[in-house]
Amino acid sequence: MADADAHSLDETILTRDAALLKDTVREAGALAQSMFGTELKKWIKGASSPVSEADIAVNDLLEVRLRAAKPEYGWLSEESADDEARLSRRLTWVVDPIDGTRNYLNGHDDWCVSVALVEHGLPVLAAVFAPTSGEFFFAARGQGTLLNDRPVRAAGGSTLDFARVAGPKLLVERLKLSPGEIKLHPRIGSLALRLCRVAHGALDAAFAGGNSHDWDLAAADLIVQEADGRMSDLSGEPILYNRREVAHGVLVAAGRDRHAGIVAHFRDRPFA
């Protein structure tokens, strides 16, 4: 009976909520794009994280659309006060209204809207939309990853081209087996986009340098996994979402074989 119930829920999620998620993220991206490059009110939250009225406007749109359609689902967003009622919900939206706000405010293209639907700690639907570059990533559990409606896969193989590895310099350089300079990939300020670009082979691997959060990661995680990639911490353990603690340490995403090699590398050479 449990298996039948789980199967029924899977079918319901993948058929009922996928269209809602796609349409809502496209609408949110269009709103963000309409405010991009304009004079915006902005401020700092926490120690150094920029926020603008665009972040709040996009968050409000997403919350109104998604929560009105699915009031029984939990809600976890970078720009909303945390409601721990989400912890008791089987399904929870995990939202970053504008991932890469600093780049957005500086007029750079590498920002996106990122939304995942999480079930029991794991993402089951994901959409990441970068309006300025026109990249729309979508994944549903067990159905593969699409980029602009075309199936994509992570790059195969196990070798590393450092020019195709994105992330903090210190982490990338720890992959070297011999001394000498390496050519680093240009910085991608949006973490969600950095990880998603593994899913269609634009990058061989991507790192999150630590202190990332559920909203930065959950959608990209499913997008990478469904593209025959892997995303985990450096020990190879999968990432769980919608827990009380939503911050995460150092993470890596890559194609299946390359990911295994990177995890083995750091197992032998722990990153302190």
Side-chain angles (χ1 to χ4, degrees), residues 56 118 127-128 167 174 198:
I56 304 306
V118 168
V128 170
R174 287 290 294 268
V198 170

Side-chain angles (χ1 to χ4, degrees), residues 46-266:
S48 61
S49 296
V51 187
S52 77
E53 59 184 311
D55 296 87
I56 304 306
V58 174
N59 188 66
D60 288 350
L61 184 155
L62 290 164
E63 187 166 10
V64 166
R65 297 288 191 273
L66 296 175
R67 297 195 85 174
K70 304 296 173 186
E72 71 275 21
Y73 291 4
W75 180 263
L76 174 62
S77 170
E78 182 176 16
E79 306 303 345
S80 298
D82 190 8
D83 179 0
E84 291 197 348
R86 65 182 171 79
L87 298 172
S88 63
R89 304 295 174 89
R90 182 170 189 175
L91 293 158
T92 293
W93 297 113
V94 178
V95 175
D96 196 339
I98 299 179
D99 182 66
T101 296
R102 184 171 283 105
N103 300 296
Y104 179 88
L105 293 174
N106 289 333
H108 302 313
D109 290 349
D110 52 341
W111 57 271
C112 64
V113 179
S114 176
V115 183
L117 183 61
V118 168
E119 178 192 15
H120 295 320
L122 297 173
V124 293
L125 287 175
V128 170
F129 182 29
T132 57
S133 62
E135 296 165 282
F136 192 98
F137 295 89
F138 180 80
R141 183 171 62 188
Q143 295 189 14
T145 292
L146 302 176
L147 171 56
N148 298 336
D149 295 324
R150 295 186 176 185
V152 291
R153 293 177 70 85
S158 58
T159 58
L160 280 173
D161 176 353
F162 286 98
R164 290 168 49 83
V165 179
K169 181 179 179 181
L170 179 62
L171 271 168
V172 177
E173 288 186 335
R174 287 290 294 268
L175 289 172
K176 290 193 304 180
L177 294 175
S178 58
E181 290 295 317
I182 57 174
K183 180 180 179 182
L184 296 174
H185 191 279
R187 184 176 185 275
I188 301 172
S190 162
L191 178 54
L193 272 184
R194 185 191 311 166
L195 297 166
C196 283
R197 286 178 178 157
V198 170
H200 68 112
L203 294 175
D204 283 347
F207 286 96
N211 199 36
S212 53
H213 295 80
D214 280 13
W215 45 78
D216 304 306
L217 304 168
D221 191 347
L222 184 65
I223 286 165
V224 170
Q225 304 276 1
E226 288 294 324
D228 201 31
R230 295 291 180 270
M231 183 167 146
S232 73
D233 66 20
L234 292 186
S235 70
E237 290 297 313
I239 308 154
L240 295 176
Y241 302 97
N242 194 35
R243 298 305 194 242
R244 192 175 301 277
E245 176 55 63
V246 299
H248 300 272
V250 177
L251 307 169
V252 62
R256 183 194 303 261
D257 293 339
R258 193 168 283 111
H259 177 271
I262 292 171
V263 167
H265 176 93
F266 281 104

Side-chain angles (χ1 to χ4, degrees), residues 2-15:
D3 288 344
D5 289 346
H7 179 73
S8 176
L9 177 63
D10 289 349
E11 290 300 315
T12 300
I13 292 168
L14 298 178
T15 58

